[in-house]
């Protein structure tokens, strides 16, 4: 594809259809992004472009944003301009239009994790472990869908450790379509 990012995000300069995720992924940080996407989608069918520069965060907040991206009728292009680590890489891969990474960007994929402070006793540890397995399987089943099988539940052990990727490697794995 010889598409230029500037061609994709052209539009009415009075009403740019761009939104930015530039913080840790939390309930609070994704709310204005979701609100903007729904508002723009209500205004018309033109593509929306989501720029991402995030170290990741809460996986269920990422799921909420992904559900929004996947629900609106217009296409949502995703662009990594900086970093897309952890669940931010999942959001990047979830774009319904074109998915871009700048040539200097970094993308990181890994399995879900919890911190030691999340465990208060053995019973809670069992419950949280079960939830962690559910979340991890959900992340990798979504990645399998979005990368057309290049990342999957079958090869999730490769991602036991943080896997830092440059833009070309992210393209090879199907996380993005184009490097600009």
């Amino acid at each position: 594809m010889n598409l230029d990012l500037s061609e994709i995000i052209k539009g009415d300069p009075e009403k740019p259809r761009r939104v930015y995720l530039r913080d840790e992924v939390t309930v609070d940080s994704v709310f204005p992004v979701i609100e903007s996407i729904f508002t723009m989608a209500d205004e018309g069918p033109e593509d929306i472009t989501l720029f991402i520069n995030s170290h990741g965060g809460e996986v269920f907040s990422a799921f909420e944003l992904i559900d929004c991206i996947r629900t609106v009728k217009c296409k949502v292009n995703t662009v990594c301009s900086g970093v897309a680590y952890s669940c931010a890489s999942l959001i990047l891969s979830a774009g319904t239009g074109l998915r871009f990474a700048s040539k200097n960007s970094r993308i990181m994929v890994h399995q879900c994790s919890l911190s030691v402070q999340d465990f208060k006793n053995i019973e809670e540890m069992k419950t949280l472990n079960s939830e962690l397995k559910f979340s991890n399987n959900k992340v990798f089943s979504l990645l399998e869908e979005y990368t057309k099988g290049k990342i999957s539940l079958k090869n999730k052990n490769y991602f036991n450790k943080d896997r830092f990727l440059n833009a070309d490697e992210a393209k090879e794995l199907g996380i993005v379509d184009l490097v600009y």
Side-chain angles (χ1 to χ4, degrees):
M1 280 186 227
N2 289 330
L3 291 173
D4 187 295
L5 178 62
S6 62
E7 291 176 38
I8 301 300
I9 61 171
K10 272 188 214 171
D12 184 349
E14 300 296 315
K15 290 186 176 183
R17 294 175 65 84
R18 297 179 207 116
V19 63
Y20 300 86
L21 176 62
R22 308 203 42 88
D23 293 312
E24 180 180 354
V25 177
T26 66
V27 171
D28 293 331
S29 71
V30 299
F31 177 76
V33 174
I34 290 169
E35 188 174 43
S36 295
I37 290 172
F38 279 133
T39 299
M40 286 183 236
D42 287 344
E43 292 171 353
E46 299 84 11
D47 289 5
I48 296 168
T49 302
L50 170 60
F51 288 87
I52 301 166
N53 187 6
S54 172
H55 286 86
E58 302 167 357
V59 71
F60 284 98
S61 296
F63 291 161
E64 180 184 18
L65 178 52
I66 289 166
D67 287 344
C68 167
I69 290 168
R70 294 291 185 157
T71 300
V72 294
K73 291 185 179 178
C74 55
K75 290 182 179 177
V76 179
N77 303 307
T78 53
V79 180
C80 176
S81 56
V83 299
Y85 290 169
S86 191
C87 66
S89 67
L90 180 63
I91 296 167
L92 174 65
S93 72
T96 55
L98 290 172
R99 303 164 306 162
F100 293 88
S102 69
K103 58 184 141 195
N104 294 311
S105 63
R106 297 292 285 172
I107 293 95
M108 187 267 287
V109 179
H110 65 172
Q111 291 196 27
C112 296
S113 61
L114 292 172
S115 66
V116 174
Q117 66 227 28
D118 292 330
F119 300 114
K120 297 185 178 50
N121 63 48
I122 291 173
E123 289 307 312
E124 283 185 11
M125 192 154 102
K126 289 177 187 174
T127 302
L128 287 171
N129 188 47
S130 175
E131 188 63 17
L132 181 61
K133 285 180 181 177
F134 168 82
S135 300
N136 199 54
N137 287 337
K138 183 66 176 172
V139 165
F140 279 89
S141 68
L142 290 173
L143 281 169
E144 186 167 15
E145 176 185 345
Y146 304 152
T147 65
K148 297 180 175 54
K150 292 180 181 175
I151 298 175
S152 69
L153 285 165
K154 291 178 185 172
N155 67 0
K156 73 179 180 182
N157 287 338
Y158 176 75
F159 300 97
N160 280 342
K161 298 178 183 177
D162 296 348
R163 296 294 176 180
F164 291 90
L165 311 168
N166 64 36
D168 290 323
E169 292 166 329
K171 183 179 176 187
E172 285 176 31
L173 283 173
I175 296 169
V176 297
D177 305 305
L178 297 165
V179 176
Y180 71 98

